Amino acid sequence: MNKLKTRKKLTVSIITIIFLSISLFIITFALAHSIVSMDDNIFHTGRIKVNLNDGKPVIEENEFIFEPGMTVEKDFFFENQGTWSVYYKLYLDNVEGKLADVLDISISSGNTILYKGKAKSLTRKNNRVVDDVLKPNERRLLKISFHYPKEFDNDGQLRSLSFDLKADAVQTKNNPSKLFD
Amino acid sequence: MKTTKYKTRDYSYLNIVIIFLSVLIVLSLSGLAAYYVYLHLPTQTQEIAAVINNKISKEDSESKFTIDDSSNETDYHIVDKEYDSSLELSIGKHGEKYRFEVNNMLPGDIVTRRFYITVNHDIDLELFFKTEIIDLNKNLDEVLYIKVVHLETGNVLCDAPISKVNGREISLSLKKNTEKKTVASYLIKMYLDTSVGNEYQGATLKTDFKWYIKEENSDGHFQGEQGLIPPNTGAISETFFCMIVVIVLIVLLLLLLFGNHRKREKQDE
């Protein structure tokens, strides 16, 4: 009986010591580390990201067979998927085919014509920045028009045109001069 | 007979250990209580001011990203206190949000904060400032610049990418004076140059800022590192945790004493 009692006392005492030691450690830790540095200064950069027609061509091969006087209009969109407003410009790149000197191409937004000319003239260097600001998550519905002038008559027969339609976008913030480079 | 004596001795050793630990805990608790009472002294509160408004998000207007726009700067005071003949630093009260929390940072953006460190001292000291990057991706530290200016003199203490400053001690000499006090004002400016490229989009950097003092030996070397204590961001949670521990501890000690008392009573019977 005495043995059992003694063991119980010992067990209780040991448990108490362990608990007191842990408590002492915690309180000492609290004392020492209640003094802390200025933590967690966070800096996170934004994104400039745009979506031009989901990457899909605005006109497919052999979709139309152009004839003098014919005009084809195709819709496409340009969307800001970044975190800040952007300036943008559209242009044609990798222009090939003899119809590049024949077809009159125009790109418009609503009733406003943004660009107009032959395919070879609508380059990145030639095209100016659109007088517009696209806010985050905003989408512009645009139209590209291809017109085969009547005066070219049969000059465009058996000719083709291929091109890449591209868009450049740059942040509006800290960029009053609308610089792209 | 021998066995009984041995076991009795063990039991008394355990009692001594328990008493010793209890005494240590009481002393620690007293120190902790005194510390938190000191934090809540009226003079401490009056000397500390923090203007909270330093979060920048994509909804904010562009006008907030200007240099030295005092309406958008956050002032933060760290107060230290001198104990007897040794230099000791402690935490002052602070506003809820004093740290940099910058979202949607773009090339050309500039964010500034001012920090006022009050040091009570009667000897010449060096006040050190250091950054410690704790999280980083896309090497943002190579293009995120930090400029630290000592406002009293206008001296630029550093102006470089934070990668070059990280972990480096930036010192400021504090001379003893008749007031036995020096207020060192720091302007910290974080900025991205307009030339920063697209590869740094969606990047993150997290850093700690630390101030501390070293005492100069007679041979000109600095010894020790005494922490200058900025605001305790987790003060509330730490206090709550310590209170729980204290309550549990008191209950346990009471149970222990009560149990011993009951045993003595039974023995007497």
Side-chain angles (χ1 to χ4, degrees), chain A residues 10 17 19-20 26-27 30 34-48 83-84 171 173-174, chain B residues 14 35 62 91 98-100 102 104-105 107-109 200-209 229-230 242:
Chain A
L10 276 169
I17 285 168
F19 186 85
L20 287 174
I26 290 167
I27 291 167
S34 59
I35 302 167
V36 295
S37 62
M38 185 181 299
D39 294 342
D40 300 337
N41 295 280
I42 300 173
F43 302 88
H44 189 80
T45 56
R47 286 183 184 274
I48 300 298
T83 58
W84 200 265
Q171 67 195 59
K173 191 201 286 189
N174 307 319
Chain B
L14 287 170
Y35 170 73
E62 292 184 39
I91 298 176
Y98 57 86
R99 61 173 70 90
F100 285 93
V102 186
N104 203 17
M105 206 172 180
D109 279 347
Y200 298 101
Q201 294 190 59
T204 302
L205 183 144
K206 193 187 282 189
T207 181
D208 294 344
F209 294 146
I229 306 145
C242 287

Side-chain angles (χ1 to χ4, degrees), chain A residues 69-129:
Chain A
M70 183 175 172
T71 301
V72 171
E73 293 181 342
K74 298 289 286 184
D75 294 327
F76 67 101
F77 70 87
F78 181 61
E79 185 180 41
N80 183 358
Q81 296 181 335
T83 58
W84 200 265
S85 300
V86 296
Y87 301 121
Y88 63 96
K89 64 174 167 181
L90 300 161
Y91 57 96
L92 304 188
D93 198 13
N94 300 321
V95 176
E96 291 178 357
K98 291 186 178 174
L99 276 180
D101 297 317
V102 175
L103 293 177
D104 288 329
I105 297 176
S106 67
I107 299 173
S108 57
S109 173
N111 294 326
T112 306
I113 295 176
L114 304 177
Y115 305 103
K116 190 173 183 179
K118 303 293 184 192
K120 281 197 172 176
S121 69
L122 300 175
T123 62
R124 185 174 189 265
K125 189 181 173 184
N126 291 343
N127 283 8
R128 58 178 175 77
V129 180

Side-chain angles (χ1 to χ4, degrees), chain B residues 252-262 264:
Chain B
L252 197 72
L253 282 170
L254 285 171
L255 283 172
L256 203 63
L257 288 167
F258 182 72
N260 280 338
H261 180 69
R262 286 283 297 271
R264 277 193 227 109

Side-chain angles (χ1 to χ4, degrees), chain B residues 135-149:
Chain B
D135 193 19
L136 171 71
N137 70 1
K138 296 187 181 181
N139 299 321
L140 184 57
D141 61 332
E142 293 173 358
V143 294
L144 182 63
Y145 276 68
I146 178 170
K147 184 176 181 180
V148 181
V149 179

Side-chain angles (χ1 to χ4, degrees), chain B residues 14-65:
Chain B
L14 287 170
N15 277 345
I16 290 166
V17 171
I18 288 170
I19 292 165
F20 176 72
L21 286 172
S22 302
V23 168
L24 283 177
I25 285 169
V26 167
L27 289 172
S28 298
L29 280 174
S30 305
L32 193 59
Y35 170 73
Y36 280 108
V37 165
Y38 168 74
L39 279 183
H40 289 81
L41 286 175
T43 51
Q44 287 293 96
T45 307
Q46 286 167 8
E47 287 174 357
I48 301 297
V51 176
I52 305 163
N53 189 23
N54 60 358
K55 189 162 185 177
I56 302 168
S57 67
K58 63 180 179 182
E59 286 83 26
D60 287 344
S61 67
E62 292 184 39
S63 62
K64 286 200 174 183
F65 297 103

